[in-house]
Amino acid sequence: MSSNLQRYLQAKDLPPLRYSNRTIAKGDALRDAGAVPEEEFGALVQKSDVIFTMISTDDVLKDLLETAAATRISLEGKIFVDTSTIHPDTSEWAARHLKDHGATFIAAPVFGASPVAAAGNLIFAMAGPTGAVERVRPLIMDVMGRSIIDMGEDVRKSSLLKISGNILVISFMEVIAEAQVFAEVVGVGTQQMEDFIGNMFGPVLQSYSRRITSGAYAPPIDTAPGFAAALACKDMKHALSIADSSNARLCTLETASKRLNTAREYAGENLDSSAIYGIARLEAGLSFWSANSRQGNESLT
């Protein structure tokens, strides 16, 4: 996302992107592309009019916004665009907190895996003041994303749509994991099942299956997972708590959450969200590990 934005700014002869990260070295490729690193988030905010954030948990976003507001920097007129998956209560808090300091908050969670982000084809679900949304639209359309879903001015709605979308994504993964375990134990064959999924349901669901059959559900210790199990569990916790407060049941998600948390206990944190599959294998009398996955509990030693 950041690389695509930097290329856009450079092509338009605009000031370069400024970036910050807890591990600043992760932005070396951005720096080499002409972006400017800022060790402190406060310095980045001071020098920027529009600030995009992509964070791992709600608490991290709150800490960043409280840090920005606690400095002597004026936030008047600045626009903060959060592209993370956060609880709607957090979005509402952020909008209110920033408004008190003269700034604007846009909730803009994104849909799409890393390859989709690299291609600039993410889907943005955007909510916030209309004027601010229109101001940042040129930085998103055909730059970081292929489409924007307009969720109005209520920032809670964007967060709710993102969580709703993740209910589908994780539920698809749960069902595919079960089907693939079934295919293995009855002798149908996992490759044949994957071919069927692709032919019947298309490349997206086939790619979910491939994360299972390729062993990417439990990658090598020195390889980061595509969508970390811990983040998926956080997202499921949000969805399940909201469903509970609304008297709704998410039965498939309940199963997925239990299995994925069990996988983390069994094999450590370097797991993809598709590690649901490993526990489904165990429950069927198979090994957690497949022939293509990382073998053994190295992360626990």
Side-chain angles (χ1 to χ4, degrees), residues 16-251:
L17 179 77
R18 296 182 182 274
Y19 68 90
S20 183
N21 193 284
R22 285 176 293 184
T23 306
I24 200 69
K26 289 185 176 181
D28 285 353
L30 274 174
R31 180 200 61 202
D32 295 344
V36 178
E38 296 287 355
E39 292 284 349
E40 298 295 331
F41 182 68
L44 182 148
V45 172
Q46 184 177 28
K47 299 172 184 177
S48 306
D49 297 320
V50 178
I51 302 98
F52 287 89
T53 51
M54 169 66 84
I55 48 80
S56 54
T57 69
D58 297 48
D59 287 343
V60 172
L61 179 64
K62 287 182 176 180
D63 287 345
L64 286 174
L65 297 185
E66 286 176 342
T67 297
T71 65
R72 296 180 180 179
I73 303 166
S74 171
L75 302 185
E76 190 70 34
K78 295 183 184 293
I79 300 174
F80 289 76
V81 186
D82 185 63
T83 61
S84 322
T85 303
I86 56 176
H87 195 283
D89 289 351
T90 304
S91 290
E92 186 176 48
W93 172 88
R96 185 173 60 250
H97 183 70
L98 288 171
K99 186 177 181 179
D100 289 343
H101 292 83
T104 300
F105 178 77
I106 295 174
V110 297
F111 294 93
S114 296
V116 179
N121 286 328
L122 292 168
I123 299 169
F124 283 69
M126 295 186 68
T130 302
V133 170
E134 289 305 312
R135 182 177 171 189
V136 302
R137 183 182 291 271
L139 302 175
I140 294 172
M141 281 300 299
D142 301 321
V143 179
M144 293 185 286
R146 71 175 186 268
S147 65
I148 293 174
I149 301 174
D150 183 359
M151 298 303 297
E153 298 209 352
D154 184 353
V155 294
R156 294 178 60 87
K157 295 292 181 68
S158 282
S159 295
L160 285 168
L161 181 64
K162 174 59 175 175
I163 289 169
S164 299
N166 282 358
I167 291 170
L168 288 171
V169 170
I170 297 171
S171 295
F172 287 148
M173 189 62 72
E174 169 64 34
V175 172
I176 291 170
E178 291 179 7
Q180 282 290 20
V181 170
F182 178 82
E184 182 167 353
V185 298
V186 303
V188 169
T190 56
Q191 187 57 57
Q192 289 81 355
M193 175 60 76
E194 189 164 290
D195 289 344
F196 165 74
I197 291 170
N199 286 318
M200 185 71 181
F201 303 111
V204 173
L205 294 192
Q206 187 175 36
S207 73
Y208 293 172
S209 175
R210 195 168 293 122
R211 283 158 66 184
I212 288 169
T213 59
S214 68
Y217 73 92
I221 293 298
D222 59 356
T223 301
F227 180 32
L231 296 180
C233 286
K234 179 262 294 182
D235 293 351
M236 285 190 282
K237 185 177 179 180
H238 284 340
L240 291 168
S241 68
I242 293 168
D244 184 62
S245 66
S246 303
N247 296 318
R249 282 291 302 277
L250 301 173
C251 299

Side-chain angles (χ1 to χ4, degrees), residues 219-293:
I221 293 298
D222 59 356
T223 301
F227 180 32
L231 296 180
C233 286
K234 179 262 294 182
D235 293 351
M236 285 190 282
K237 185 177 179 180
H238 284 340
L240 291 168
S241 68
I242 293 168
D244 184 62
S245 66
S246 303
N247 296 318
R249 282 291 302 277
L250 301 173
C251 299
T252 304
L253 209 67
E254 290 171 7
T255 300
S257 179
K258 181 179 179 180
R259 280 178 169 161
L260 195 52
N261 277 301
T262 302
R264 294 166 66 195
E265 293 171 3
Y266 183 86
E269 291 295 349
N270 200 60
L271 295 173
D272 185 72
S273 60
S274 53
I276 291 166
Y277 173 66
I279 297 303
R281 286 174 60 86
L282 279 177
E283 291 171 355
L286 303 172
S287 168
F288 178 92
W289 316 98
S290 72
N292 294 326
S293 72

